[in-house]
Amino acid sequence: MSPSYSSLNLVLLGPPGSGKSTQASRLASSFHLPHISTRAMLRDEVDRGTSVGVDARKVMERGELVPDRVLAGLMLQRLDRDDCARGCILDGYPRTVEQAILLDGILAELGRSIERVVLIDLPLEVGVRRLIDAGDVVENNGAIVVEDVSVTGRHDYEDVVRERCRVWRENAPALLDFYRHRGLLLEIAGDRPIDEVGETVRQAVGAPVGA
Ligand code: AMP
């Protein structure tokens, strides 16, 4: 039988192209929990032209990581909102062990903790191929200049995607171990149709009470 939770703070992890945002959004609607995407939060800051947004834009355009203190501030504000009382689906955070430790601190401050972590597992080359096939990546960077990279759409260019893959490769092993050692990590094969992956994730996680 699937486990049941009185609250469910769930982290979704996966390499670029794993479909983790799609799965996060599906889980959020089926469990009636907020979907918290750092990409969407940062994009909102960029669109509103806030000082966080102006700085974040440059970093995002390169596929690098926005500084921890910036994300930690945004996460504290967001997780403290009433709609997170029963938990949330975190998409894009944490990405490093340092962020995972910060997240534990933020949740502890709010009297909560991570109940589950799901890895949508996929070889990097398969994820990148998916991004290319979906038209999210231009295969030959050629004459494209960085200023034209849109961080508000899903258009990442080859060098940006390469950097995002590098960041994943560099940080994922330690982050996964961090959660594996605490018995929180569920690993789901992601190289399957999106509906199948979604159903496996939902079954493996189990619904929170009231969902
Ligand atoms: P994503 O589409 O989820 O890979 O996010 C797009 C970009 O937003 C990343 O390449 C980073 O520049 C930035 N970003 C999103 N989440 C984080 C995070 N947890 N820490 C640092 N930067 C992030």
Side-chain angles (χ1 to χ4, degrees):
M1 207 178 89
S2 300
S4 191
Y5 314 85
S6 54
S7 69
L8 177 59
N9 295 279
L10 182 143
V11 172
L12 260 179
L13 300 175
S18 60
K20 89 182 141 53
S21 291
T22 306
Q23 301 299 351
S25 145
R26 289 180 174 204
L27 270 185
S29 43
S30 85
F31 292 166
H32 309 292
L33 292 173
H35 171 196
I36 300 182
S37 149
T38 42
R39 181 191 182 94
M41 285 165 67
L42 290 166
R43 196 171 60 196
D44 180 58
E45 298 287 328
V46 171
D47 289 348
R48 288 189 294 117
T50 64
S51 58
V52 165
V54 170
D55 291 343
R57 182 186 172 115
K58 295 177 205 139
V59 178
M60 291 169 80
E61 280 174 350
R62 294 192 295 262
E64 294 167 6
L65 291 181
V66 172
D68 283 353
R69 64 179 163 73
V70 173
L71 261 303
L74 290 177
M75 292 309 288
L76 175 59
Q77 271 178 27
R78 182 61 190 91
L79 291 169
D80 194 25
R81 283 184 19 203
D82 290 347
D83 63 343
C84 294
R86 287 177 51 253
C88 61
I89 309 294
L90 287 175
D91 164 17
Y93 194 86
R95 288 185 193 219
T96 61
V97 170
E98 291 73 19
Q99 289 187 2
I101 292 167
L102 283 167
L103 176 62
D104 280 346
I106 292 168
L107 286 172
E109 217 174 290
L110 302 171
R112 306 195 338 236
S113 59
I114 297 292
E115 276 84 21
R116 269 281 173 242
V117 179
V118 173
L119 167 68
I120 315 266
D121 201 12
L122 191 76
L124 272 174
E125 61 276 15
V126 176
V128 172
R129 174 45 60 190
R130 278 189 182 172
L131 295 175
I132 291 167
D133 291 346
D136 289 342
V137 183
V138 178
E139 245 179 304
N140 181 357
N141 194 35
I144 295 157
V145 287
V146 166
E147 282 75 18
D148 283 345
V149 174
S150 163
V151 289
T152 54
R154 289 287 326 183
H155 297 282
D156 288 339
Y157 295 112
E158 193 187 357
D159 53 349
V160 178
V161 169
R162 202 179 297 120
E163 176 60 13
R164 289 172 65 202
C165 290
R166 193 196 61 73
V167 168
W168 169 261
R169 251 197 314 263
E170 181 175 303
N171 295 299
L175 181 61
L176 295 174
D177 273 351
F178 179 84
Y179 286 126
R180 196 177 282 124
H181 286 147
R182 289 162 64 181
L184 295 177
L185 186 68
L186 291 172
E187 301 184 47
I188 307 284
D191 195 3
R192 293 178 294 154
I194 216 159
D195 286 344
E196 225 177 282
V197 174
E199 193 43 36
T200 311
V201 172
R202 226 173 44 80
Q203 295 277 340
V205 171
V209 169

